[in-house]
């Protein structure tokens, strides 16, 4: 149990005792307003609960703070409880308790930080899901890294997480793609092939067509059949390219779900029948509309066009019905691009119409990415020289920098990817700085082993300097951070925590001599080596959760 939860439980019990003593049982507050302090002079945690409840209880905030503090029993986890004006209570963690927790870190090793908060709840995270019509570019990477890191953290928090890529292999866009691949295939075979004006003109399809020609030679055949045969082969090849590119970024999906299967397995037809029976479909202008306005949307939305073809919205409804009703996920997280922001309300409305709790669907949208290179800034676009592919980015900055920088900003904020900074081998680059901290811990422990130092017997209570205590406190924050990220889906806090951890370790290293040949300092040396080991465990865990490497040498 984390320090935050321990103090929160003490505070809740103290509140009940205080209410009893005041003869008041009408006040309820699930929120203890317990927060991490910014300045250690005010302790490790502080609450403003007295300020929130004083009016209801008709007691001054400072008096209420004193009453609450007096009802908190003595405990080994706290060294001091302090009441501060105008009505705060500050909590100071006990040094002995911190040392016991540090021992837990050492015993847990790479399982450190993992919790059971998720109670094995079945969660699905769907991300990337780009139309399989070409290579991935930088604009797709943000959601990819976000989904990958979030799935890692939620697994560490005890959730049963499945990751999924939704393959848009049906509909009008796929027809255009098939026609474009077919045209390139004809051209490769010295025949006339015209790419549709609104088709896919990228040169990458030339390479795809060349590969197809090796297995499907050009011959007289029914055009419609050949478009399907060649197009399907192009689709399969493109999906393999996307899989390979994502694998290079350290991303593997548990499942690749075919949109086409929604038609083949009857789910598309089924959801139309359910919505119609429940009175959520109307006919207008020859099309079928979902009555989104009944669910607080600004307008109704077409699900079946007048031509009889399904809209993307219709298949999305069927897909989410499959997630919740067919596969029984308890919670679903979708990661969409910023251009889908307006679709959220109608999708949640559709879930409600199908009898699914809309709060079980969490949709995260990622904002636009711009690139900074050699002090020049430009937004991503499909115009020549402004589309940076995922492969190009990894080739330039590497997987680790790619993952770190994309996860370091909250998804709702616009982002500038600084390629110059990402390639620097200096402390200015947070990736270098963090990985250097890990390499430094490895080097210290290796040197200790080479010197045949036995630090298996140690006393962590000797770690009392300011930099040692600061480092220990940061290490002990990881389990709570993992829980918080998992519950609120905010993985951008992880790189900032890791950077601060690296900073505190470097500061400790500069101020505290770890390896000493002085006989009187051997006990302290052993304790400090264990602190270095705990730091390495925590850094490695953080890098692992972010999908980054943990170099032992740099």
């Amino acid at each position: 149990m984390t320090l935050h939860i321990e103090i929160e439980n003490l505070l809740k019990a103290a509140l009940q005792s205080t209410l009893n003593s005041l003869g008041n049982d009408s006040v309820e507050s699930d929120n203890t307003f317990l927060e991490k302090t910014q300045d250690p002079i005010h302790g490790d945690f502080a609450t403003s609960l007295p300020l929130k409840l004083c009016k209801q209880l008709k007691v001054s905030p400072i008096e209420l703070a004193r009453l609450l503090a007096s009802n908190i029993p003595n405990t080994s986890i706290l060294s001091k409880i302090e009441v501060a004006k105008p009505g705060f209570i500050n909590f100071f963690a006990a040094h002995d308790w911190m040392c016991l927790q540090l021992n837990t870190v050492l015993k847990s090793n790479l399982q450190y930080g993992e919790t059971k908060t998720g109670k094995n709840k079945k969660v699905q995270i769907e991300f990337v899901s780009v139309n399989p019509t070409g290579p991935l570019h930088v604009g797709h990477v943000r959601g990819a890294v976000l989904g990958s890191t979030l799935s890692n953290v939620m697994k560490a928090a005890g959730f049963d997480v499945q990751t999924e890529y939704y393959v848009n292999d049906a509909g009008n866009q796929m027809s255009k793609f098939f026609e474009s691949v077919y045209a390139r295939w004809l051209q490769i075979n010295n025949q006339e092939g015209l790419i549709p004006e609104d088709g896919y003109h990228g040169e990458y399809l030339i390479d795809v067509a060349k590969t197809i020609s090796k297995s499907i030679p050009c011959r007289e055949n029914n055009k419609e059949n050949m478009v399907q045969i060649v197009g399907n082969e192009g689709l399969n090849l493109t999906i393999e390219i996307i899989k390979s590119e994502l694998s290079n970024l350290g991303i593997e999906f548990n499942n690749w779900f075919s949109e086409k299967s929604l038609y083949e397995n009857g789910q598309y037809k089924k959801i139309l029948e359910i919505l119609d029976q429940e009175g959520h479909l109307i006919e207008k202008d020859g099309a079928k509309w979902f009555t989104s306005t009944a669910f607080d949307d600004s307008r109704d939305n077409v699900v079946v066009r007048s031509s009889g073809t399904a809209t993307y919205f219709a298949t999305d409804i069927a897909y989410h019905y499959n997630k919740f009703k067919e596969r029984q996920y308890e919670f679903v997280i979708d990661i969409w691009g910023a251009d889908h922001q307006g679709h959220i309300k109608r999708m949640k409305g559709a879930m409600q119409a199908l009898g699914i709790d809309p709060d079980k669907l969490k949709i995260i949208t990622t904002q636009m990415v711009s690139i900074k290179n050699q002090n020049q800034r430009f937004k991503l676009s499909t115009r020549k020289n402004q589309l940076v592919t995922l492969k190009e980015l990894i080739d330039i900055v590497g997987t680790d920098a790619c993952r770190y920088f994309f996860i370091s900003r909250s998804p709702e904020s616009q982002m500038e990817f600084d390629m110059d900074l990402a390639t620097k081998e200096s402390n200015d680059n947070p990736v270098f700085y963090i990985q250097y901290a890990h390499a430094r811990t490895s080097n210290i422990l290796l040197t200790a082993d080479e010197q045949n130092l036995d630090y298996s017997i140690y006393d962590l209570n000797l770690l009392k300097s300011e930099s040692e205590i600061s480092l220990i406190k940061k290490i002990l924050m990881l389990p709570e951070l993992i829980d918080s990220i998992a519950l609120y889906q905010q993985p951008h806090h992880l790189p900032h925590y890791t950077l601060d951890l690296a900073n505190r370790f470097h500061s400790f290293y500069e101020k505290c001599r770890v390896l000493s040949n002085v006989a009187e300092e051997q006990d302290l040396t052993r304790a400090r080596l264990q602190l270095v080991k705990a730091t390495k465990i925590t850094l490695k865990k953080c890098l692992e959760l972010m999908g980054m490497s943990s170099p032992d040498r740099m």
Side-chain angles (χ1 to χ4, degrees):
M1 193 178 293
T2 65
L3 181 60
H4 186 282
I5 294 174
E6 293 268 18
I7 298 174
E8 197 166 62
N9 289 339
L10 290 170
L11 195 52
K12 286 177 179 177
L15 175 60
Q16 190 57 55
S17 298
T18 302
L19 292 175
N20 292 341
S21 68
L22 293 172
N24 190 320
D25 57 3
S26 62
V27 174
E28 290 185 9
S29 180
D30 289 331
N31 192 342
T32 59
F33 301 98
L34 187 67
E35 295 182 347
K36 192 87 178 68
T37 59
Q38 297 298 315
D39 189 335
I41 197 171
H42 301 305
D44 298 288
F45 287 91
T47 180
S48 58
L49 187 61
L51 293 167
K52 309 295 182 184
L53 298 182
C54 59
K55 285 187 179 180
Q56 294 180 65
L57 296 173
K58 298 178 181 178
V59 179
S60 71
I62 194 69
E63 181 59 28
L64 184 54
R66 291 190 182 110
L67 281 170
L68 280 167
S70 68
N71 281 312
I72 297 174
N74 290 331
T75 171
S76 61
I77 69 172
L78 297 172
S79 62
K80 184 170 68 169
I81 299 172
E82 176 184 84
V83 173
K85 292 181 179 181
F88 293 99
I89 306 174
N90 301 330
F91 301 89
F92 296 77
H95 184 261
D96 288 351
W97 179 84
M98 288 190 291
C99 292
L100 283 172
Q101 297 307 304
L102 194 62
N103 257 321
T104 302
V105 178
L106 295 165
K107 290 175 183 176
S108 300
N109 204 351
L110 287 181
Q111 277 68 55
Y112 174 60
E114 296 178 9
T115 74
K116 296 181 180 179
T117 299
K119 299 178 181 177
N120 212 35
K121 286 182 182 176
K122 193 177 177 185
V123 175
Q124 189 219 53
I125 305 178
E126 181 230 323
F127 54 104
V128 187
S129 298
V130 178
N131 285 343
T133 54
L136 300 175
H137 63 69
V138 172
H140 303 135
V141 182
R142 192 173 191 183
V145 176
L146 172 63
S148 172
T149 305
L150 183 57
S151 68
N152 291 341
V153 175
M154 291 190 75
K155 287 174 187 175
F159 290 89
D160 177 11
V161 181
Q162 293 289 301
T163 57
E164 187 159 286
Y165 188 117
Y166 179 53
V167 181
N168 298 109
D169 55 0
N172 192 40
Q173 289 297 321
M174 196 46 52
S175 297
K176 292 176 185 177
F177 176 71
F178 276 27
E179 289 280 357
S180 303
V181 175
Y182 175 69
R184 287 297 192 191
W185 175 76
L186 287 174
Q187 292 169 8
I188 289 299
N189 287 279
N190 300 314
Q191 295 192 35
E192 185 178 358
L194 294 177
I195 298 174
E197 187 175 338
D198 55 353
Y200 294 88
H201 296 259
E203 292 187 3
Y204 59 86
L205 284 187
I206 296 174
D207 292 332
V208 170
K210 286 179 180 178
T211 303
I212 294 171
S213 292
K214 294 176 184 177
S215 57
I216 305 176
C218 191
R219 59 180 180 272
E220 291 296 323
N221 209 319
N222 178 280
K223 178 188 173 182
E224 189 174 326
N225 287 343
M226 290 310 296
V227 168
Q228 290 301 310
I229 292 170
V230 172
N232 269 311
E233 190 64 22
L235 171 64
N236 293 333
L237 286 169
T238 306
I239 290 174
E240 288 306 312
I241 290 169
I242 291 172
K243 284 184 178 180
S244 175
E245 290 175 339
L246 289 171
S247 181
N248 290 337
L249 192 59
I251 299 172
E252 305 284 346
F253 285 92
N254 296 118
N255 190 38
W256 291 69
F257 189 97
S258 164
E259 178 188 359
K260 195 158 53 175
S261 71
L262 295 169
Y263 298 100
E264 296 168 346
N265 298 333
Q267 269 123 5
Y268 166 69
K269 182 181 178 182
K270 187 174 183 178
I271 62 107
L272 290 180
E273 290 172 350
I274 294 172
L275 292 174
D276 193 30
Q277 288 167 6
E278 296 296 324
H280 299 304
L281 293 185
I282 58 173
E283 291 203 20
K284 186 171 61 177
D285 301 328
K288 288 185 178 180
W289 298 65
F290 171 64
T291 55
S292 311
T293 49
F295 300 96
D296 200 33
D297 199 1
S298 58
R299 63 184 178 87
D300 295 335
N301 289 274
V302 176
V303 288
V304 183
R305 300 182 184 94
S306 56
S307 63
T309 58
T311 61
Y312 279 123
F313 179 42
T315 51
D316 270 351
I317 296 172
Y319 177 42
H320 285 80
Y321 180 87
N322 173 277
K323 293 183 184 189
F324 285 109
K325 293 294 188 180
E326 305 287 342
R327 290 187 279 167
Q328 296 290 304
Y329 285 109
E330 297 178 66
F331 191 62
V332 169
I333 300 169
D334 292 350
I335 298 175
W336 294 353
D339 55 336
H340 287 78
Q341 180 71 41
H343 300 181
I344 296 175
K345 190 167 283 189
R346 71 184 190 185
M347 180 55 67
K348 283 182 169 282
M351 294 302 97
Q352 192 172 344
L354 291 168
I356 298 163
D357 182 356
D359 290 336
K360 290 186 175 181
L361 173 62
K362 168 79 173 186
I363 299 173
I364 302 170
T365 56
T366 59
Q367 291 299 315
M368 296 293 291
V369 177
S370 61
I371 295 289
K372 178 184 176 184
N373 190 20
Q374 296 178 347
N375 292 320
Q376 291 186 339
R377 294 174 175 83
F378 55 91
K379 289 187 177 180
L380 295 175
S381 77
T382 53
R383 290 175 293 171
K384 191 174 180 181
N385 296 327
Q386 289 203 4
L387 181 63
V388 180
T389 66
L390 169 57
K391 184 180 183 303
E392 289 170 336
L393 185 67
I394 291 176
D395 286 345
I396 295 169
V397 305
T399 297
D400 290 340
C402 190
R403 291 191 65 107
Y404 182 90
F405 282 98
F406 274 109
I407 200 63
S408 64
R409 295 289 302 275
S410 64
E412 61 268 17
S413 62
Q414 293 199 356
M415 175 186 176
E416 178 183 87
F417 191 100
D418 190 338
M419 295 178 74
D420 301 321
L421 178 61
T423 52
K424 272 188 179 180
E425 291 190 2
S426 72
N427 290 344
D428 294 335
N429 181 351
V431 178
F432 180 90
Y433 190 70
I434 291 167
Q435 290 181 323
Y436 181 56
H438 184 271
R440 179 172 263 178
T441 62
S442 298
N443 184 58
I444 292 169
L445 297 174
L446 178 63
T447 302
D449 290 341
E450 289 173 345
Q451 293 179 4
N452 295 317
L453 286 175
D454 181 5
Y455 52 98
S456 58
I457 299 174
Y458 54 89
D459 181 6
L460 297 177
N461 284 290
L462 297 173
L463 303 172
K464 294 182 178 180
S465 73
E466 184 179 337
S467 59
E468 289 167 334
I469 297 300
S470 173
L471 180 55
I472 292 170
K473 286 182 177 180
K474 197 67 186 181
I475 289 170
L476 298 183
M477 285 175 61
L478 182 60
E480 184 180 341
L481 178 70
I482 286 174
D483 279 349
S484 176
I485 290 171
L487 293 173
Y488 300 105
Q489 296 88 49
Q490 296 179 331
H492 60 279
H493 293 298
L494 182 58
H496 297 292
Y497 166 85
T498 312
L499 181 60
D500 190 25
L501 177 64
N503 187 49
R504 294 192 194 200
F505 172 71
H506 287 306
S507 176
F508 154 77
Y509 181 81
E510 295 299 326
K511 295 175 181 176
C512 301
R513 182 168 57 178
V514 178
L515 299 172
S516 173
N517 295 320
V518 179
E520 293 79 8
E521 295 179 352
Q522 290 310 294
D523 287 343
L524 185 56
T525 289
R526 284 191 285 270
R528 284 178 174 170
L529 281 169
Q530 292 295 345
L531 179 54
V532 170
K533 187 177 178 181
T535 304
K536 179 178 180 178
I537 288 168
T538 311
L539 282 170
K540 190 175 182 68
K541 187 65 176 183
C542 292
L543 288 164
E544 178 186 279
L545 291 172
M546 290 188 288
M548 297 167 60
S549 62
S550 307
D552 290 324
R553 290 186 179 185
M554 288 181 70

